[in-house]
């Protein structure tokens, strides 16, 4: 997945354009910038590649999720359904807006289980947030139908799945708003950065203003702009956008390298009857940033994870004990540890989390290993790695 492996002359050239004129701000300073608008160019590039009418760059992926929610009107007391397997950013973004995260089970796709989603809907539910973990997706057809049936927003956190598609449409463009991260370890990186994409004109205008203190961006004089509503600063800088621009242009190349490396390892593991792969819904195409598979039980999975370590197979994750990605170890969130007071409404809304059990999610995550697919491996290295993985798994069964 990581574009940082292939940083080079293309990124350097874009950054130098910015350094040469010294305009790090994405808005204004027209006279100084010699025609360089890296953030605008990157927005156009992403819009083209992700078939989306509107793109708003932001300072990071967590900001993207926050802005997606804010721009579509999610706020105080609103319940947002999200999966147990995710990144803490989903939870944090809902909380910062005064909403209530409602965690529900995942299924064999490692995405939201449609049945669990439907069962969690209450009169307070405002949005369903799907998180497209490890380069793939949940059952998007069913999830979208549930959102439509109940008149709920569908927010897509596609931070880990840029370039994956469902029925030919890029992930992120299927829901009402899609979110991407360009942090250091994502498929394309801008060092720090993110994007919100949408085909909804109103949500886009909201995102455009909200990310820049409510500035309406009308005219050329920032001092004279009006502020239709409260905003914040979630801006990206021109320097970050410059790195992201070079990387975004290389996305098709990165995806094809990932697919090639992924297939070599997948074919090798498919020889082992005890290994099953994560389900990709019909019509779905992964971005091949990770290879996710299941083993028969927790004990075997623990053994395999240890055997991978011993044989130098790095960048494989067993999320069961991970405290960034899975509810089981989110003690600080279960206990609602916050620097500042949290409203009674949110506290009450989250009371369920202290005792909530997720046996279905536990079962999938306990048996899952997800391995990062790197861009810099030679074919020989991938084959060697695949052989080591097969050996480590067979010796653990
Ligand atoms: C990385 C990531 C984010 C947050 O992105 P940052 O740029 O690191 O803030 C949000 N959601 C998911 C699923 C991610 O993987």
């Amino acid at each position: 997945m990581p574009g940082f492996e292939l940083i080079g002359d293309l990124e350097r050239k874009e950054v130098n354009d910015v350094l040469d004129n010294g305009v790090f701000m994405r808005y204004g300073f027209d006279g100084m910038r010699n025609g360089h608008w890296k953030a605008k160019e990157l927005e156009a590039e992403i819009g083209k590649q992700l078939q989306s009418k509107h793109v708003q760059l932001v300072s990071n992926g967590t900001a993207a999720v926050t802005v997606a929610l804010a721009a579509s009107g999610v706020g105080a007391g609103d319940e947002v359904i999200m999966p147990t397997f995710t990144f803490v950013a989903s939870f944090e973004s809902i909380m910062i807006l005064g909403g209530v995260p409602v965690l529900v089970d995942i299924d064999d796709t490692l995405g939201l289980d449609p049945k669990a989603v439907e069962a969690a809907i209450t009169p307070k539910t405002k949005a369903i947030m799907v998180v497209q973990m490890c380069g793939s997706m949940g059952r998007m057809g069913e999830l979208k139908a549930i959102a439509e049936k109940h008149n709920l927003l569908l927010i897509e956190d596609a931070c880990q799945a840029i370039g994956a598609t469902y029925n030919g449409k890029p992930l992120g463009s299927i829901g009402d708003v899609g979110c991407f991260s360009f942090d250091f370890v994502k498929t394309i990186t801008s060092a720090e950065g993110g994007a919100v994409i949408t085909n909804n004109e109103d949500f886009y205008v909201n995102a455009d203003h909200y990310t820049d203190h409510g500035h309406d961006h009308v005219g050329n004089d920032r001092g004279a702009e009006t502020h239709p509503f409260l905003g914040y600063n979630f801006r990206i800088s021109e320097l970050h956008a410059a790195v992201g621009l070079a990387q975004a242009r290389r996305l098709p190349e990165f995806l094809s390298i990932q697919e090639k490396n992924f297939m070599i390892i997948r074919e090798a593991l498919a020889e082992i009857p005890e290994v099953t792969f994560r389900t990709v819904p019909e019509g779905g195409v992964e971005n091949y940033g990770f290879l996710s598979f299941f083993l028969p039980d927790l004990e075997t999975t623990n053994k395999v994870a240890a055997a991978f370590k011993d044989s130098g197979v790095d960048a494989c994750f067993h999320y069961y004990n991970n405290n960034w990605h899975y509810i089981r170890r989110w003690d600080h969130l279960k206990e609602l540890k916050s620097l500042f007071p949290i409203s009674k409404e949110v506290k009450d809304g989250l009371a369920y989390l202290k005792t909530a059990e997720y046996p279905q999610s536990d079962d999938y995550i306990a048996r899952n290993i997800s391995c990062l697919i790197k861009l810099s491996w030679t074919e020989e290295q991938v084959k060697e790695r695949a052989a080591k993985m097969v050996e480590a798994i067979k010796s653990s069964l």
Side-chain angles (χ1 to χ4, degrees):
M1 163 157 103
F4 74 74
E5 295 174 280
L6 301 182
I7 295 285
D9 288 344
L10 296 168
E11 288 75 10
R12 201 168 292 118
K13 184 205 162 284
E14 296 301 324
V15 170
N16 281 340
D17 282 348
V18 178
L19 289 175
D20 286 347
N21 63 51
V23 179
F24 299 153
M25 173 72 159
R26 68 157 300 177
Y27 299 111
F29 300 92
D30 302 27
M32 270 175 77
R33 60 171 73 237
N34 282 335
H36 293 304
W37 297 89
K38 299 303 177 187
K40 278 193 179 141
E41 269 187 79
L42 176 53
E43 283 169 350
E45 181 68 30
I46 292 169
K48 192 176 72 184
Q49 290 200 37
L50 300 183
Q51 299 168 27
S52 202
K53 251 193 246 165
H54 304 292
V55 180
Q56 178 64 47
L57 290 177
V58 290
S59 45
N60 57 65
T62 308
V65 183
T66 309
V67 170
L69 292 166
S72 56
V74 177
D78 290 333
E79 291 181 1
V80 180
I81 294 174
M82 56 166 277
T84 51
F85 176 49
T86 178
F87 176 57
V88 280
S90 336
F91 194 97
E92 293 165 343
S93 304
I94 299 164
M95 292 290 288
I96 212 78
L97 295 169
V100 178
V102 175
L103 275 70
V104 311
D105 269 325
I106 54 158
D107 62 18
D108 57 344
T109 64
L110 298 180
L112 278 174
D113 176 353
K115 285 190 298 299
V117 170
E118 198 138 32
I121 294 171
T122 76
K124 288 188 175 175
T125 309
K126 182 92 178 247
I128 300 170
M129 187 196 290
V130 297
V131 186
Q132 321 285 26
M133 289 296 285
C134 301
S136 187
M137 68 212 83
R139 294 181 160 79
M140 291 307 295
E142 286 173 57
L143 293 163
K144 192 172 161 78
I146 293 171
E148 280 168 2
K149 179 175 152 201
H150 295 272
N151 203 16
L152 302 173
L153 292 160
L154 185 63
I155 311 281
E156 265 185 276
D157 176 346
C159 288
Q160 293 193 8
I162 192 165
T165 58
Y166 179 74
N167 285 345
K169 287 182 76 174
L171 293 192
S173 74
I174 293 159
D176 295 287
V177 195
C179 311
F180 294 92
S181 163
F182 310 130
D183 80 19
F184 189 54
V185 297
K186 297 300 202 282
T187 305
I188 57 173
T189 183
S190 63
E192 294 278 3
V196 172
I197 69 172
T198 183
N199 287 319
N200 182 311
E201 175 86 28
D202 292 340
F203 294 171
Y204 165 66
V205 170
N206 290 346
D208 169 83
H209 297 8
Y210 184 64
T211 50
D212 187 25
H213 304 292
H215 275 285
D216 67 5
H217 300 140
V218 174
N220 259 340
D221 179 1
R222 277 179 79 73
E225 287 176 24
T226 60
H227 304 91
F229 47 74
L230 175 77
Y232 204 75
N233 179 2
F234 288 115
R235 287 189 310 260
I236 194 166
S237 81
E238 283 287 280
L239 277 176
H240 291 88
V243 178
L245 179 58
Q247 289 256 301
R249 289 182 180 138
R250 305 173 75 185
L251 179 61
E253 172 200 345
F254 291 178
L255 294 174
S256 79
I257 297 172
Q258 282 181 177
E259 181 176 1
K260 190 167 132 262
N261 292 345
F262 175 106
M263 288 303 174
I264 293 171
I265 300 177
R266 191 188 196 279
E267 272 169 32
L269 299 198
E271 306 282 320
I272 308 171
E274 288 86 352
V275 170
T276 53
F277 296 96
R278 139 217 236 146
T279 300
V280 178
E282 207 186 312
V285 178
E286 300 179 65
N287 84 351
Y288 305 108
F290 287 83
L291 177 65
S292 293
F293 55 92
F294 299 108
L295 292 152
D297 51 49
L298 176 61
E299 197 193 332
T300 311
T301 314
N302 280 332
K303 275 196 209 158
V304 170
F308 279 177
K309 265 206 187 105
D310 290 345
S311 53
V313 174
D314 64 347
C316 286
F317 307 100
H318 183 205
Y319 292 112
Y320 194 59
N321 290 316
N322 180 295
N323 64 11
W324 285 11
H325 290 285
Y326 188 53
I327 177 66
R328 215 173 137 261
R329 297 284 304 279
W330 284 1
D331 295 334
H332 69 302
L333 303 179
K334 289 182 195 174
E335 289 161 27
L336 265 189
K337 289 192 178 157
S338 171
L339 284 177
F340 48 85
I342 288 174
S343 76
K344 180 169 181 325
E345 190 176 24
V346 172
K347 271 190 190 159
D348 291 348
L350 274 170
Y352 75 95
L353 204 55
K354 263 197 183 132
T355 52
E357 306 243 10
Y358 296 97
Q360 179 177 315
S361 302
D362 281 346
D363 178 55
Y364 288 116
I365 296 296
R367 297 186 296 109
N368 171 255
I369 290 183
S370 293
C371 295
L372 199 66
I373 301 296
K374 291 197 184 169
L375 298 171
S376 57
W377 293 329
T378 63
E379 191 170 327
E380 202 184 329
Q381 284 172 326
V382 184
K383 286 184 173 157
E384 213 174 280
R385 182 181 171 90
K388 276 189 192 166
M389 289 171 75
V390 168
E391 176 67 33
I393 296 171
K394 283 188 173 162
S395 70
S396 307
L397 291 170

